[in-house]
Amino acid sequence: MTLTPVFDGHNDFLLRLLRNPAEREAIWLTGEGKGHLDLPRMKAGGFVGGFFAVYIPSPKAHDAPDYEALMNNPPYDLPLPDLIGDTAAMPVAMAMVGHLMWMERTGALAICRSTADIRAAMEAGKIAAILHMEGAEAIGEDLDALHVWHAAGLRSLGPVWSRPTVFGHGVPFRFPGEPDTGPGLTDAGKRLVAECNALKIMIDLSHLNEAGFNDVAALSDAPLVATHSNAHAVTRSTRNLTGRQLRMIAESKGMVGLNYATSFLREDGKQSADIGWEPVLKHMDHLLSVLGEDHLGLGSDFDGATIPQGIGDVAGLPHLLEAFRAHGYGEALIEKLAWKNWLAVLDRTWG
């Protein structure tokens, strides 16, 4: 069977390596049977590349809520973690980028700085990796570090995860809830947008609250992109995008990557993986109806979320695409959703 290539909008694989650095060879090259991603399963599923996130975990407080239990029993409203400063974040981010560069040295992956690099990696049978920051904690208000990370290969940046930064405010994990949860970008955040535009670093709107989204839309000269977000009209999570936001993304010739996280797919907001294809297809149909077929792709959140049991892990991607076929999506549309739309929006963003 010929596999349809899949280029993916978001994964947290580097977090697994950060937490288990001594086991990274087994985790990456041979697979140790855990998580969603490793090289053998990527090959088995047709995964050809995507955005590899640098994410700074919040310190665990002794009185932290049981997030998994709460998200399995909606309604829930989880508190935003505290801001993490760049001095604390920098060594963590450095370690994660170091792991990605080690993955490149194994010969199985290439860190890509252009769409030409992505196409060359795909042609060579290597995983095409985009260095992405999910939250800009490792960058100070003077933005000097942004230029350092850009020189290291950074080509995609989310100003926030679901907590505040010196640049803006993330949405809390809340269901049911609206994305309009707080103030917009700070002055430093507005400078960050301008500098990312100048450097041709893609700005990711996933996790950003509605006021921050509006600020990026007003300031940025690049397509609006949410790498791993779903439709608020289907699932009323703060993390999902309203119809107005989706229309603004389409008008900018931007992109949304469908997030496989069950709590953002299920209409009841639960985190349980025990779902069929109906919620996935309902989100896809709605997103297609608003965005059009040129502005939607896949943004799995592999290794960062609970995903539907029908997918299971990256080796299950062919099952997802087969569900699209059974639903009536044609091969040309599936190719756009699976990989072509991501390369097209990166062409428009990076030049």
Side-chain angles (χ1 to χ4, degrees), residues 164-196:
T165 68
V166 296
F167 303 111
H169 302 269
V171 291
F173 292 107
R174 179 184 299 160
F175 181 89
E178 307 294 322
D180 186 10
T181 60
L185 298 180
T186 65
D187 288 343
K190 293 173 182 178
R191 295 197 308 273
L192 177 69
V193 170
E195 204 70 8
C196 283

mmCIF file of all heavy atoms in Angstrom, residues 164-196:
data_model
loop_
_atom_site.group_PDB
_atom_site.id
_atom_site.type_symbol
_atom_site.label_atom_id
_atom_site.label_comp_id
_atom_site.label_asym_id
_atom_site.label_seq_id
_atom_site.Cartn_x
_atom_site.Cartn_y
_atom_site.Cartn_z
ATOM 1 N N PRO A 164 0.438 33.227 30.984
ATOM 2 C CA PRO A 164 0.939 34.530 30.527
ATOM 3 C C PRO A 164 2.437 34.487 30.233
ATOM 4 O O PRO A 164 3.178 33.676 30.796
ATOM 5 C CB PRO A 164 0.646 35.447 31.725
ATOM 6 C CG PRO A 164 0.592 34.543 32.908
ATOM 7 C CD PRO A 164 0.065 33.220 32.412
ATOM 8 N N THR A 165 2.858 35.331 29.312
ATOM 9 C CA THR A 165 4.274 35.609 29.097
ATOM 10 C C THR A 165 4.454 37.123 29.106
ATOM 11 O O THR A 165 3.479 37.872 29.242
ATOM 12 C CB THR A 165 4.780 35.050 27.744
ATOM 13 O OG1 THR A 165 4.164 35.793 26.673
ATOM 14 C CG2 THR A 165 4.466 33.571 27.592
ATOM 15 N N VAL A 166 5.670 37.580 28.931
ATOM 16 C CA VAL A 166 5.897 39.029 28.847
ATOM 17 C C VAL A 166 5.319 39.598 27.555
ATOM 18 O O VAL A 166 5.283 40.817 27.372
ATOM 19 C CB VAL A 166 7.404 39.373 28.951
ATOM 20 C CG1 VAL A 166 7.952 38.981 30.314
ATOM 21 C CG2 VAL A 166 8.196 38.728 27.823
ATOM 22 N N PHE A 167 4.843 38.722 26.666
ATOM 23 C CA PHE A 167 4.342 39.161 25.365
ATOM 24 C C PHE A 167 2.812 39.146 25.253
ATOM 25 O O PHE A 167 2.258 39.823 24.387
ATOM 26 C CB PHE A 167 4.942 38.286 24.264
ATOM 27 C CG PHE A 167 6.443 38.283 24.267
ATOM 28 C CD1 PHE A 167 7.153 37.141 24.623
ATOM 29 C CD2 PHE A 167 7.153 39.421 23.934
ATOM 30 C CE1 PHE A 167 8.531 37.137 24.636
ATOM 31 C CE2 PHE A 167 8.535 39.431 23.934
ATOM 32 C CZ PHE A 167 9.233 38.285 24.297
ATOM 33 N N GLY A 168 2.140 38.329 26.067
ATOM 34 C CA GLY A 168 0.693 38.228 25.923
ATOM 35 C C GLY A 168 0.105 37.230 26.902
ATOM 36 O O GLY A 168 0.748 36.838 27.885
ATOM 37 N N HIS A 169 -1.115 36.806 26.606
ATOM 38 C CA HIS A 169 -1.887 36.009 27.552
ATOM 39 C C HIS A 169 -2.498 34.799 26.844
ATOM 40 O O HIS A 169 -3.190 34.946 25.825
ATOM 41 C CB HIS A 169 -2.990 36.856 28.186
ATOM 42 C CG HIS A 169 -2.457 38.068 28.882
ATOM 43 N ND1 HIS A 169 -2.111 38.071 30.206
ATOM 44 C CD2 HIS A 169 -2.156 39.301 28.396
ATOM 45 C CE1 HIS A 169 -1.634 39.269 30.528
ATOM 46 N NE2 HIS A 169 -1.654 40.029 29.447
ATOM 47 N N GLY A 170 -2.259 33.633 27.398
ATOM 48 C CA GLY A 170 -2.857 32.422 26.866
ATOM 49 C C GLY A 170 -4.250 32.196 27.421
ATOM 50 O O GLY A 170 -4.636 32.780 28.438
ATOM 51 N N VAL A 171 -5.011 31.344 26.726
ATOM 52 C CA VAL A 171 -6.336 30.994 27.232
ATOM 53 C C VAL A 171 -6.195 29.916 28.308
ATOM 54 O O VAL A 171 -5.357 29.025 28.194
ATOM 55 C CB VAL A 171 -7.264 30.480 26.114
ATOM 56 C CG1 VAL A 171 -7.625 31.588 25.154
ATOM 57 C CG2 VAL A 171 -6.661 29.291 25.383
ATOM 58 N N PRO A 172 -6.986 29.964 29.358
ATOM 59 C CA PRO A 172 -7.016 28.858 30.314
ATOM 60 C C PRO A 172 -7.719 27.664 29.692
ATOM 61 O O PRO A 172 -8.477 27.804 28.722
ATOM 62 C CB PRO A 172 -7.841 29.435 31.476
ATOM 63 C CG PRO A 172 -8.740 30.439 30.832
ATOM 64 C CD PRO A 172 -7.954 31.031 29.692
ATOM 65 N N PHE A 173 -7.456 26.483 30.218
ATOM 66 C CA PHE A 173 -8.215 25.303 29.809
ATOM 67 C C PHE A 173 -9.555 25.358 30.532
ATOM 68 O O PHE A 173 -9.632 25.148 31.743
ATOM 69 C CB PHE A 173 -7.438 24.028 30.142
ATOM 70 C CG PHE A 173 -6.192 23.862 29.319
ATOM 71 C CD1 PHE A 173 -4.940 24.054 29.897
ATOM 72 C CD2 PHE A 173 -6.267 23.542 27.978
ATOM 73 C CE1 PHE A 173 -3.786 23.916 29.134
ATOM 74 C CE2 PHE A 173 -5.117 23.405 27.209
ATOM 75 C CZ PHE A 173 -3.877 23.591 27.789
ATOM 76 N N ARG A 174 -10.612 25.666 29.768
ATOM 77 C CA ARG A 174 -11.936 25.868 30.342
ATOM 78 C C ARG A 174 -12.979 25.277 29.405
ATOM 79 O O ARG A 174 -12.906 25.475 28.186
ATOM 80 C CB ARG A 174 -12.186 27.364 30.541
ATOM 81 C CG ARG A 174 -13.547 27.725 31.117
ATOM 82 C CD ARG A 174 -13.706 29.251 31.162
ATOM 83 N NE ARG A 174 -12.690 29.872 32.015
ATOM 84 C CZ ARG A 174 -12.343 31.155 31.952
ATOM 85 N NH1 ARG A 174 -12.908 31.961 31.063
ATOM 86 N NH2 ARG A 174 -11.420 31.644 32.773
ATOM 87 N N PHE A 175 -13.915 24.527 29.973
ATOM 88 C CA PHE A 175 -15.034 24.009 29.188
ATOM 89 C C PHE A 175 -16.287 23.973 30.052
ATOM 90 O O PHE A 175 -16.256 23.436 31.149
ATOM 91 C CB PHE A 175 -14.744 22.600 28.667
ATOM 92 C CG PHE A 175 -15.891 22.069 27.839
ATOM 93 C CD1 PHE A 175 -15.934 22.299 26.475
ATOM 94 C CD2 PHE A 175 -16.933 21.371 28.436
ATOM 95 C CE1 PHE A 175 -17.006 21.836 25.722
ATOM 96 C CE2 PHE A 175 -18.006 20.914 27.685
ATOM 97 C CZ PHE A 175 -18.039 21.137 26.328
ATOM 98 N N PRO A 176 -17.396 24.530 29.544
ATOM 99 C CA PRO A 176 -17.474 25.329 28.326
ATOM 100 C C PRO A 176 -16.881 26.714 28.555
ATOM 101 O O PRO A 176 -16.847 27.197 29.676
ATOM 102 C CB PRO A 176 -18.979 25.402 28.050
ATOM 103 C CG PRO A 176 -19.604 25.261 29.401
ATOM 104 C CD PRO A 176 -18.709 24.354 30.188
ATOM 105 N N GLY A 177 -16.428 27.335 27.500
ATOM 106 C CA GLY A 177 -15.824 28.655 27.646
ATOM 107 C C GLY A 177 -15.599 29.316 26.310
ATOM 108 O O GLY A 177 -15.676 28.685 25.254
ATOM 109 N N GLU A 178 -15.308 30.601 26.365
ATOM 110 C CA GLU A 178 -15.035 31.417 25.180
ATOM 111 C C GLU A 178 -13.549 31.789 25.163
ATOM 112 O O GLU A 178 -12.916 31.896 26.218
ATOM 113 C CB GLU A 178 -15.878 32.696 25.208
ATOM 114 C CG GLU A 178 -17.374 32.471 25.407
ATOM 115 C CD GLU A 178 -17.999 31.744 24.231
ATOM 116 O OE1 GLU A 178 -17.602 32.010 23.089
ATOM 117 O OE2 GLU A 178 -18.893 30.894 24.467
ATOM 118 N N PRO A 179 -12.979 32.029 23.975
ATOM 119 C CA PRO A 179 -11.562 32.417 23.912
ATOM 120 C C PRO A 179 -11.284 33.853 24.334
ATOM 121 O O PRO A 179 -10.120 34.237 24.463
ATOM 122 C CB PRO A 179 -11.202 32.198 22.439
ATOM 123 C CG PRO A 179 -12.490 32.311 21.708
ATOM 124 C CD PRO A 179 -13.539 31.797 22.641
ATOM 125 N N ASP A 180 -12.326 34.635 24.573
ATOM 126 C CA ASP A 180 -12.154 36.032 24.996
ATOM 127 C C ASP A 180 -11.955 36.059 26.510
ATOM 128 O O ASP A 180 -12.893 36.250 27.276
ATOM 129 C CB ASP A 180 -13.380 36.842 24.587
ATOM 130 C CG ASP A 180 -13.219 38.331 24.861
ATOM 131 O OD1 ASP A 180 -12.087 38.753 25.198
ATOM 132 O OD2 ASP A 180 -14.213 39.060 24.745
ATOM 133 N N THR A 181 -10.702 35.878 26.948
ATOM 134 C CA THR A 181 -10.435 35.637 28.368
ATOM 135 C C THR A 181 -9.510 36.649 29.023
ATOM 136 O O THR A 181 -9.136 36.459 30.185
ATOM 137 C CB THR A 181 -9.816 34.233 28.558
ATOM 138 O OG1 THR A 181 -8.598 34.156 27.820
ATOM 139 C CG2 THR A 181 -10.769 33.145 28.086
ATOM 140 N N GLY A 182 -9.094 37.694 28.329
ATOM 141 C CA GLY A 182 -8.178 38.630 28.974
ATOM 142 C C GLY A 182 -7.649 39.666 28.014
ATOM 143 O O GLY A 182 -8.123 39.783 26.875
ATOM 144 N N PRO A 183 -6.643 40.416 28.453
ATOM 145 C CA PRO A 183 -6.103 41.498 27.623
ATOM 146 C C PRO A 183 -5.292 40.974 26.445
ATOM 147 O O PRO A 183 -4.951 39.795 26.378
ATOM 148 C CB PRO A 183 -5.226 42.286 28.601
ATOM 149 C CG PRO A 183 -4.847 41.302 29.653
ATOM 150 C CD PRO A 183 -6.007 40.366 29.783
ATOM 151 N N GLY A 184 -4.964 41.906 25.538
ATOM 152 C CA GLY A 184 -4.227 41.556 24.335
ATOM 153 C C GLY A 184 -2.726 41.533 24.545
ATOM 154 O O GLY A 184 -2.226 41.381 25.671
ATOM 155 N N LEU A 185 -1.999 41.690 23.452
ATOM 156 C CA LEU A 185 -0.543 41.675 23.508
ATOM 157 C C LEU A 185 -0.012 42.854 24.326
ATOM 158 O O LEU A 185 -0.588 43.939 24.325
ATOM 159 C CB LEU A 185 0.045 41.754 22.100
ATOM 160 C CG LEU A 185 -0.259 40.623 21.118
ATOM 161 C CD1 LEU A 185 0.415 40.906 19.783
ATOM 162 C CD2 LEU A 185 0.182 39.268 21.676
ATOM 163 N N THR A 186 1.089 42.626 24.995
ATOM 164 C CA THR A 186 1.812 43.715 25.647
ATOM 165 C C THR A 186 2.567 44.513 24.591
ATOM 166 O O THR A 186 2.636 44.124 23.416
ATOM 167 C CB THR A 186 2.803 43.158 26.671
ATOM 168 O OG1 THR A 186 3.800 42.392 25.959
ATOM 169 C CG2 THR A 186 2.104 42.264 27.694
ATOM 170 N N ASP A 187 3.169 45.621 25.010
ATOM 171 C CA ASP A 187 3.992 46.382 24.062
ATOM 172 C C ASP A 187 5.126 45.516 23.530
ATOM 173 O O ASP A 187 5.464 45.582 22.336
ATOM 174 C CB ASP A 187 4.548 47.630 24.742
ATOM 175 C CG ASP A 187 3.480 48.694 24.992
ATOM 176 O OD1 ASP A 187 2.403 48.604 24.373
ATOM 177 O OD2 ASP A 187 3.723 49.603 25.817
ATOM 178 N N ALA A 188 5.708 44.688 24.410
ATOM 179 C CA ALA A 188 6.776 43.785 23.959
ATOM 180 C C ALA A 188 6.226 42.768 22.966
ATOM 181 O O ALA A 188 6.909 42.385 22.006
ATOM 182 C CB ALA A 188 7.405 43.081 25.158
ATOM 183 N N GLY A 189 4.994 42.317 23.193
ATOM 184 C CA GLY A 189 4.373 41.377 22.272
ATOM 185 C C GLY A 189 4.163 41.968 20.893
ATOM 186 O O GLY A 189 4.334 41.286 19.868
ATOM 187 N N LYS A 190 3.801 43.231 20.848
ATOM 188 C CA LYS A 190 3.622 43.899 19.558
ATOM 189 C C LYS A 190 4.962 44.044 18.831
ATOM 190 O O LYS A 190 5.037 43.882 17.605
ATOM 191 C CB LYS A 190 2.957 45.251 19.775
ATOM 192 C CG LYS A 190 1.525 45.114 20.283
ATOM 193 C CD LYS A 190 0.903 46.449 20.660
ATOM 194 C CE LYS A 190 -0.513 46.242 21.203
ATOM 195 N NZ LYS A 190 -1.135 47.521 21.621
ATOM 196 N N ARG A 191 6.025 44.310 19.590
ATOM 197 C CA ARG A 191 7.361 44.350 18.963
ATOM 198 C C ARG A 191 7.772 42.968 18.480
ATOM 199 O O ARG A 191 8.425 42.835 17.432
ATOM 200 C CB ARG A 191 8.390 44.901 19.957
ATOM 201 C CG ARG A 191 8.166 46.357 20.367
ATOM 202 C CD ARG A 191 9.419 46.958 20.998
ATOM 203 N NE ARG A 191 9.955 46.157 22.090
ATOM 204 C CZ ARG A 191 9.573 46.249 23.359
ATOM 205 N NH1 ARG A 191 8.635 47.117 23.706
ATOM 206 N NH2 ARG A 191 10.120 45.486 24.298
ATOM 207 N N LEU A 192 7.388 41.948 19.228
ATOM 208 C CA LEU A 192 7.706 40.570 18.838
ATOM 209 C C LEU A 192 7.057 40.239 17.495
ATOM 210 O O LEU A 192 7.700 39.627 16.626
ATOM 211 C CB LEU A 192 7.223 39.595 19.911
ATOM 212 C CG LEU A 192 7.415 38.101 19.622
ATOM 213 C CD1 LEU A 192 8.897 37.739 19.655
ATOM 214 C CD2 LEU A 192 6.639 37.247 20.627
ATOM 215 N N VAL A 193 5.812 40.622 17.298
ATOM 216 C CA VAL A 193 5.130 40.359 16.030
ATOM 217 C C VAL A 193 5.881 41.027 14.878
ATOM 218 O O VAL A 193 6.135 40.409 13.833
ATOM 219 C CB VAL A 193 3.671 40.851 16.082
ATOM 220 C CG1 VAL A 193 3.032 40.804 14.698
ATOM 221 C CG2 VAL A 193 2.864 40.011 17.064
ATOM 222 N N ALA A 194 6.249 42.279 15.068
ATOM 223 C CA ALA A 194 6.957 43.003 14.011
ATOM 224 C C ALA A 194 8.295 42.346 13.686
ATOM 225 O O ALA A 194 8.679 42.226 12.511
ATOM 226 C CB ALA A 194 7.164 44.461 14.423
ATOM 227 N N GLU A 195 8.998 41.902 14.728
ATOM 228 C CA GLU A 195 10.316 41.294 14.499
ATOM 229 C C GLU A 195 10.182 39.927 13.838
ATOM 230 O O GLU A 195 10.998 39.563 12.979
ATOM 231 C CB GLU A 195 11.073 41.185 15.826
ATOM 232 C CG GLU A 195 12.582 41.137 15.689
ATOM 233 C CD GLU A 195 13.185 42.459 15.227
ATOM 234 O OE1 GLU A 195 12.467 43.474 15.158
ATOM 235 O OE2 GLU A 195 14.385 42.464 14.915
ATOM 236 N N CYS A 196 9.150 39.155 14.219
ATOM 237 C CA CYS A 196 8.908 37.865 13.559
ATOM 238 C C CYS A 196 8.579 38.079 12.081
ATOM 239 O O CYS A 196 9.056 37.335 11.215
ATOM 240 C CB CYS A 196 7.773 37.116 14.249
ATOM 241 S SG CYS A 196 8.232 36.336 15.813
#
